[in-house]
Amino acid sequence: MINIKSEREIALLKEAGRIVALCHEELKKHIKPGVSTWELNELVEKVILDNNATPSFKGYGGFPASICASVNEVVIHGIPSKKQILKDGDIIAVDIGACYKGYHGDSAWSYHVGKISDKDKLLMEVTRDALFAGLNVIKEGVYLGDVSHAIEAHIKPYGFGIVEEFTGHGVGRNLHEDPAIFNFGTPGTGPILKEGMVLAIEPMVNAGTKNVRILPDRWTTVTKDKSKSAHFEHTIVVRKDGYEILTTL
Ligand code: MG
Ligand code: MG
């Protein structure tokens, strides 16, 4: 069942989203060669706590940190580590969740570390633009399959791999709610969107094939062919004539 949020709830979700956006703003300034992913985790955790929120991911299903830091061939769920030092040419996707008065915000962004290749730049641009291609069809009355299809249609011409095992999702009192939102699909299928639905849209795109595997730590998800991967995500609310991004300042 897809929950419809009241305006009171949306205001709280918006504050959670604002805190997540604030974390990304702060993070941006610190992503450079020589920084460990653990330092980034500490930085984000402080911003969340300083804003009277709690990290949504810490302890979620046993996840040990406040951010997912997914470097290069890591698709999602990378665990921050003091041993993992960013270097020139890396790309890193940082996923952040904050819970404010019981409501979550969820947003991921991919960043370049120093100077990256044109190929990696394209991968990141296509993934980000695919997120907005999906968002831009959202309004009351469209099918969820229309959104999934718009994301897929944007990525396909580039020949990149669209990850199938992980999806976007509803957001609210729970970090993950119905519906699952695939990054590929058929127009005119699935549930019809209604005003007040809060959704996290999050394409995960590989430079190579779509196939992924999970490392023995049970979290870190990598591309099978070791190609790089990008991830962009916003939490939004469906409106009558469009959508409103919640994970923004
Ligand atoms: Mg996320
Ligand atoms: Mg998410």
Side-chain angles (χ1 to χ4, degrees):
M1 198 196 80
I2 308 175
N3 288 320
I4 306 290
K5 272 74 180 181
S6 68
E7 289 304 321
R8 185 195 71 86
E9 290 181 294
I10 290 166
L12 294 170
L13 286 156
K14 207 169 181 170
E15 177 58 13
R18 188 193 67 83
I19 295 164
V20 171
L22 202 60
C23 291
H24 277 290
E25 281 301 312
E26 200 50 43
L27 189 68
K28 246 186 243 174
K29 302 175 199 159
H30 291 85
I31 292 182
K32 51 184 145 220
V35 171
S36 77
T37 51
W38 182 255
E39 287 170 74
L40 301 178
N41 181 73
E42 295 297 279
L43 177 89
V44 167
E45 191 171 295
K46 186 174 184 317
V47 176
I48 293 173
L49 295 173
D50 284 351
N51 282 274
N52 305 313
T54 54
S56 304
F57 300 167
K58 203 174 185 178
Y60 186 90
F63 191 77
S66 295
I67 64 169
C68 297
S70 303
V71 179
N72 295 335
E73 76 278 8
V74 180
V75 181
I76 49 167
H77 300 164
I79 300 171
S81 160
K82 286 177 184 164
K83 288 185 210 150
Q84 184 167 42
I85 313 292
L86 297 180
K87 54 184 197 310
D88 197 42
D90 284 344
I91 63 171
I92 177 173
V94 181
D95 199 347
I96 301 172
C99 182
Y100 179 77
K101 293 191 177 169
Y103 289 86
H104 296 272
D106 187 7
S107 173
W109 219 251
S110 291
Y111 299 97
H112 62 95
V113 181
K115 192 171 162 38
I116 62 170
S117 70
D118 289 345
K119 201 184 161 213
D120 294 345
K121 217 175 272 175
L122 180 68
L123 174 68
M124 284 171 47
E125 275 169 19
V126 168
T127 309
R128 183 199 59 208
D129 292 350
L131 164 61
F132 285 96
L135 292 179
N136 285 338
V137 302
I138 291 178
K139 60 181 178 182
E140 179 157 289
V142 307
Y143 289 88
L144 191 59
D146 300 344
V147 180
S148 298
H149 178 75
I151 295 168
E152 178 184 14
H154 183 81
I155 298 163
K156 255 200 166 157
Y158 297 93
F160 293 142
I162 301 173
V163 175
E164 296 180 352
E165 283 89 339
F166 298 92
T167 65
H169 50 92
V171 184
R173 282 195 163 276
N174 299 296
L175 179 61
H176 295 118
E177 298 186 352
D178 283 344
I181 304 167
F182 289 89
N183 291 305
F184 59 96
T186 310
T189 63
I192 294 173
L193 301 186
K194 293 199 176 71
E195 181 165 29
M197 288 179 176
V198 173
L199 310 172
I201 310 292
E202 51 177 316
M204 291 152 261
V205 179
N206 302 340
T209 65
K210 66 185 182 186
N211 302 317
V212 300
R213 68 190 181 90
I214 299 173
L215 298 186
D217 65 20
R218 290 173 43 245
W219 286 107
T220 312
T221 302
V222 298
T223 57
K224 261 194 181 162
D225 62 6
K226 300 212 169 67
S227 67
K228 287 184 181 171
S229 187
H231 181 204
F232 287 83
E233 173 185 33
H234 266 314
T235 303
I236 63 98
V237 57
V238 178
R239 293 303 193 185
K240 279 244 167 336
D241 300 309
Y243 65 95
E244 191 183 336
I245 295 176
L246 299 177
T247 38
T248 190
L249 294 178

